[in-house]
């Protein structure tokens, strides 16, 4: 214990731990939720800092650190509407060759640094860096047999049914070696992306921030027909396997093109950094005319023998590097600063701009982040500012143009006593006095129960997919119902009548009925998700699950003390305090009582007891499709009888629960290891004996 404390006293060690956490979270938001929170550049800068800190403190090495592995898109089996209840939609399969990432560079100097480490005179292939998600395609005897996402780099999800909907990916090829792998990028073309977002807007569904997120969300859908409708495309850029033709990367790609693969025409063999820079300069502008998103270029050593000699680090090849295009920036006039109150009460300063064209769209509002940001950059109305659109949907101000043409009468954001121009002290929506929590950059409106955006935000959160999942009740409808006084808090949802909803503009009886059905169905949502849906500050999905497991009823939770709560994993003093405060507020207690009366689940089911220990100690792989039960049900049955369901076949596998059309790789592996295949009938027989 002593040791740990003395370590943590050094601020850099704390910074290291905080960075690991932040980058892990950013990876999760990027790869799993498809909602990026950091720009690539910010991410890389933080990653570099973490690498430096880890070099400073070798004793803090951790193989789980984000510096040691690539981000993961693996489907962890959370329930979403696209999957079955608690279902894992795709089979997770180990990659034959790990899927690595690329080191990034942002300047000529960084490219030169990389090139210096290569043998003199090597050829460098320049390619476009397509901004989609990587895919690994396996061909056996000319047939496409597997299509894996990158996953965590070691294993990925098999999304072959969805990949087969992409017209530019061949399902059969001829004249190829008997087995090989092609890697490439799956993309949603700009045109399709815009059409999809327009459609989602009309249906009040959340928009995708960029084509990459849209492609990623699409590839993980459960319905291949919907995937086909969205119109994905793919470019291939890497061939792997044994006894492949050619001695250079370039040759191989040209061969792949002859086999029928979609290979970009923008590939160039370069002989100097000058030539590379010319390629970059050309494509930095020309890429705007391409049908798909690109975010940089990739440089690869052409000669395959040299590639092999250069080898790999834990995360990236040494024979390749990415160069990232700078995010597009524009200079424009800051006309006025207004303030926007978010769903959680945070007040964000917004720059109202002279409209300017940026990455294909007209921008007239951008975030100024917070008070400190404005002060540090001394930004004032009338200034000329740089606005940038990164990977996020909301543009941001990144700098002030420091020329002399600032209006003579402009004043810095001052304190109130100077009374010239200051950050508001009162909420612009409801007039409550704003508070600034110590250690946070944001000013917040504390009037949770009376401030319109916060009221609506709480309701939106409550009905969202991961919470009560009430379909049809979108942002606009909530706004309409709120303004008519029909919806003021989450409990009001359960008092809505058909005629209230059907009377709304744009909402006919049919959609009204749909909403009512959704509300009815939400009464079956389990207690742990109800707890998450309540929107207690900092109680996220995972924390809610952990709390609900410990406190099986809301009554038990209501009487828990902060001290008792902090005994739960993941619950720190701040979260505990938020929970205690939530239950101290009479208004919340009233709402909870109304929810209970409406039939919302306020208690968990008793934990399921194992039904037997017939499968105790066994590791069982499920493969193929079944007729008596779903895969998920079989998984539950295995667990209920004391067994463990594992993803891949190994020596330790006890048997394979084999359905129809079992994967060929698994079959081969099972045969070679002599592992028994069991039919579903045999399995059901075994557990019922
Ligand atoms: S080569 C071992 N080539 O960029 C290296 N990757 O940031 C394999 N990407 O995971 C990657 N265009 O998803 C390569 N022309 C290209 C690419 C490309 C896009 C993606 C790929 C990779 C990521 C790394």
């Amino acid at each position: 214990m002593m040791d740990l404390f003395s370590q943590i006293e050094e601020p850099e060690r704390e910074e290291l731990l905080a960075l690991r956490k932040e980058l892990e979270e950013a990876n999760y938001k990027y790869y799993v939720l498809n909602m990026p929170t950091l720009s690539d550049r910010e991410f890389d800068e933080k990653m570099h800092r973490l690498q430096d800190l880890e070099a400073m403190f070798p004793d803090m090495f951790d193989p789980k650190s984000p510096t040691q592995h690539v981000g993961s898109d693996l489907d962890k089996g959370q329930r979403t509407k696209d999957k079955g209840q608690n279902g894992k939609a795709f089979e997770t399969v180990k990659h034959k060759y790990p899927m690595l990432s690329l080191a990034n560079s942002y300047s000529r100097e960084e490219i030169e640094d990389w090139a210096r480490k290569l043998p003199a005179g090597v050829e460098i292939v320049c390619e476009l860096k397509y901004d989609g998600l990587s895919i690994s395609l396996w061909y056996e005897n000319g047939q496409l047999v597997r299509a894996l996402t990158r996953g965590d780099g070691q294993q990925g999800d098999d999304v072959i049914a969805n990949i087969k909907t992409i017209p530019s990916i061949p399902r059969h090829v001829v004249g190829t070696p008997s087995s090989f792998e092609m890697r490439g990028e799956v993309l949603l073309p700009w045109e399709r992306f815009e059409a999809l977002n327009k459609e989602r807007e009309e249906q009040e569904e959340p928009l995708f921030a960029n084509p990459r997120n849209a492609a990623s969300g699409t590839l993980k859908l459960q319905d291949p027909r919907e995937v086909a409708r969205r119109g994905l495309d793919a470019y291939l850029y890497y061939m792997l396997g044994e006894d492949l033709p050619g001695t250079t990367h370039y040759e191989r790609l040209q061969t792949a093109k002859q086999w029928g693969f979609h290979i970009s025409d923008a590939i160039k063999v370069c002989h100097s950094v000058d030539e590379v820079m010319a390629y970059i300069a050309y494509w930095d502008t020309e890429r705007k005319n391409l049908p798909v998103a690109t975010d940089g270029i990739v440089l690869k050593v052409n000669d395959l023998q040299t590639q092999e000699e250069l080898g790999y680090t834990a995360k990236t090849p040494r024979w390749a590097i990415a160069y990232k295009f700078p995010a597009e920036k524009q200079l424009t006039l800051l006309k006025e600063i207004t303030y926007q109150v978010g769903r959680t009460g945070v007040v964000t300063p917004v720059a109202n701009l002279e409209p300017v064209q940026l990455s294909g769209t007209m921008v007239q509002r951008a975030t100024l982040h917070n008070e400190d940001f404005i002060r540090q950059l001394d930004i004032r109305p009338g200034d000329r500012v740089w606005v940038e659109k990164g990977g996020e949907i909301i543009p941001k101000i990144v700098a002030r143009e420091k020329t002399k043409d600032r209006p003579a009468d402009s004043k810095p954001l001052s304190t109130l006593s100077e009374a010239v121009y200051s950050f508001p002290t009162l909420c612009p929506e409801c007039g409550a006095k704003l508070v600034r929590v110590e250690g946070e950059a944001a000013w917040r409106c504390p009037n949770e129960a009376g401030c319109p955006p916060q009221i609506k935000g709480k309701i939106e959160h409550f009905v969202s997919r991961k919470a009560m999942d009430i379909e049809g009740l979108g942002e606009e409808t909530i706004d309409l119902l709120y303004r008519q006084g029909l919806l003021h808090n989450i409990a009001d949802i359960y008092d809505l009548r058909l005629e209230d909803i059907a009377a709304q503009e744009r909402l006919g009886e049919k959609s009204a009925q749909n909403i009512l059905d959704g509300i009815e169905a939400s009464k079956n949502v389990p207690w742990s998700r109800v707890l998450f849906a309540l929107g207690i500050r900092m109680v996220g999905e995972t924390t809610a699950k952990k709390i609900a497991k410990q406190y099986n009823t809301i009554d038990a939770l209501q009487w828990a003390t902060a001290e008792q709560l902090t005994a739960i994993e993941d619950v720190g003093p701040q979260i505990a305090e938020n929970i205690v405060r939530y239950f101290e507020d009479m208004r919340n207690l009233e709402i909870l009582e109304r929810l209970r009366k409406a039939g919302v689940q306020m208690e968990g089911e008793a934990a399921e007891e194992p039904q037997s220990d017939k499968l105790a100690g066994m590791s069982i792989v499920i493969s193929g499709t079944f007729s008596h039960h779903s895969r998920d049900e079989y998984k539950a049955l295995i667990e209920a009888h004391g067994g463990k369901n594992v993803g891949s076949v190994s020596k330790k596998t006890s048997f394979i629960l084999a359905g129809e059309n079992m994967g060929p790789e698994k079959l081969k592996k099972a045969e070679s290891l002599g592992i028994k295949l069991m039919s579903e009938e045999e399995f059901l027989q075994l557990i019922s004996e």
Side-chain angles (χ1 to χ4, degrees), residues 31 70-75 88 90-95 97-99 133-137 146-160 162-163 181 183-184 186 215-216 218-221:
Y31 288 107
V70 301
S72 171
D73 66 29
L74 285 182
D75 169 27
K88 233 188 103 29
F90 303 101
E91 191 180 354
T92 302
V93 182
K94 195 165 174 317
H95 290 298
Y97 308 99
M99 276 181 100
L133 55 143
S134 34
I135 193 81
S136 147
L137 307 174
R146 268 214 195 306
L148 305 182
T149 63
R150 181 162 79 163
D152 60 8
Q154 300 300 321
Q155 45 178 8
D157 284 335
D158 191 354
V159 290
I160 187 164
N162 290 343
I163 286 296
E181 183 178 348
R183 291 207 183 149
V186 174
S216 167
T218 302
L219 213 49
K220 295 265 166 133
L221 290 176

Side-chain angles (χ1 to χ4, degrees), residues 238-258:
Y238 191 27
M239 192 195 293
L240 294 108
E242 276 140 45
D243 303 321
L244 298 179
T247 58
T248 66
H249 173 67
Y250 186 80
E251 269 175 85
R252 277 201 184 157
L253 289 189
Q254 297 316 312
T255 307
K257 195 178 202 165
Q258 277 159 18

